[in-house]
Amino acid sequence: MVNNQEREKCASGIEGLDSILGGGFPVGSMVLVTGVPGVGKTSLSLEFAIRGADAGDRTLYITTIERPEKLLASVPEFDFFRQDLLDEGMLTFMEVPELMDAVSMRGRPECREDVLRFSEALSRYIDDNGVRRLIIDSYSAMFHAFDDHGVSRDLLLMLSEMIYRKGCTAMLVADVEPSSTSDLAITATMESIIADGVIVLGNHQRRSDLLRTLQVLKMKGTSHSRSKYVIDLTSSGVLITPLLRGGA
């Protein structure tokens, strides 16, 4: 169990983000990365995964929308990606059915029993493989057809307790509707309430340009900037600069 008095930092490996967070995420945190489609959520989570694996953290990336092979097709575009991270098992991409050894299951849980099985299978995998970083992309897509919102809440609570107890650091990717991008709307969701940290990616209109932005709204256990930053998605990774540089 991670001692709350001595929680070390899990450096994301994304230089600008670690600077904002004062060194990284507290180990054992569950961090929500949210925003509308197209703002860079998957790019951010992929860099967190690859940088972690390269630093020696065994990493599991669970994909619920794209097949791993399709997601992996974009990974070599990163200058810092190394194939041996996959070959040596430091970085693993997996779909939900594969994790649960349920080949007939679709890409997401379909009932409360599936959610419990998913949680149990994930717990075993983390223990058996020494996983230190976990990414679920997209978490929100797992429950798209669920009418019972209590199922999503229960899994979040189980995940939060599980990763804290195991000393694993998790990043959950969640999509929001364009009409729900205000800070008030985002922080009022069940995911943001339960999560230890909330990172919001969005768009900002500057003259004729539409800029991608990043803002850390919440991060328990660390002092952090709440300013909004501009991000660029490059082959060298996510580059982060202050929003006000060069004019509003």
Side-chain angles (χ1 to χ4, degrees):
M1 178 183 293
V2 179
N3 188 316
N4 214 25
Q5 301 297 318
E6 303 175 355
R7 291 181 71 183
E8 59 181 310
K9 292 292 183 67
C10 171
S12 71
I14 303 167
E15 183 176 348
L17 181 57
D18 287 333
S19 177
I20 293 169
L21 296 172
F25 306 119
V27 170
S29 295
M30 183 173 71
V31 180
L32 180 71
V33 176
T34 187
V36 297
V39 290
K41 299 185 300 297
T42 293
S43 293
L44 187 78
S45 59
L46 276 172
E47 183 165 0
F48 173 69
I50 298 169
R51 298 285 192 190
D54 187 49
D57 284 349
R58 200 170 293 274
T59 301
L60 173 62
Y61 197 113
I62 298 176
T63 173
T64 65
I65 298 177
E66 294 183 305
R67 289 192 175 276
E69 55 267 27
K70 183 178 179 182
L71 191 62
L72 279 167
S74 64
V75 169
E77 296 177 5
F78 294 124
D79 296 339
F80 49 88
F81 171 73
R82 302 197 330 265
Q83 178 63 38
D84 62 279
L85 296 175
L86 296 173
D87 298 339
E88 296 174 4
M90 291 301 299
L91 177 60
T92 301
F93 290 83
M94 187 176 292
E95 290 182 279
V96 174
E98 183 182 357
L99 176 70
M100 298 171 63
D101 194 25
V103 293
S104 62
M105 180 181 170
R106 286 184 285 181
R108 52 182 168 77
E110 298 174 336
C111 61
R112 183 175 290 273
E113 289 71 25
D114 283 346
V115 169
L116 292 174
R117 288 172 53 218
F118 171 77
S119 178
E120 292 168 356
L122 180 58
S123 179
R124 286 194 302 271
Y125 189 94
I126 290 174
D127 286 340
D128 293 346
N129 296 276
V131 172
R132 299 288 292 172
R133 297 193 187 202
L134 167 69
I135 299 92
I136 302 179
D137 181 11
S138 144
Y139 177 83
S140 54
M142 292 178 65
F143 301 96
H144 180 70
F146 268 80
D147 294 325
D148 183 359
H149 297 295
V151 175
S152 174
R153 177 203 62 207
D154 292 347
L155 179 57
L156 278 170
L157 291 170
M158 286 188 287
L159 285 175
S160 179
E161 172 61 23
M162 177 199 306
I163 64 172
Y164 176 75
R165 181 166 35 86
K166 296 177 184 296
C168 180
T169 304
M171 184 175 282
L172 308 185
V173 177
D175 292 307
V176 298
E177 297 292 332
S179 59
S180 305
T181 55
S182 71
D183 290 357
L184 182 61
I186 290 172
T187 55
T189 64
M190 185 59 62
E191 291 91 341
S192 64
I193 292 170
I194 296 175
D196 299 297
V198 178
I199 298 175
V200 179
L201 302 185
N203 292 307
H204 176 77
Q205 185 75 42
R206 177 185 284 175
R207 302 186 183 94
S208 60
D209 295 327
L210 188 62
L211 308 177
R212 292 184 174 95
T213 62
L214 177 148
Q215 186 176 25
V216 179
L217 292 186
K218 167 184 171 183
M219 195 64 61
K220 294 179 182 177
T222 186
S223 297
H224 63 87
S225 169
R226 286 175 54 88
S227 297
K228 190 171 287 187
Y229 296 81
V230 172
I231 63 172
D232 288 316
L233 310 181
T234 75
S235 60
S236 299
V238 178
L239 303 183
I240 302 176
T241 56
L243 175 61
L244 295 180
R245 180 173 294 175

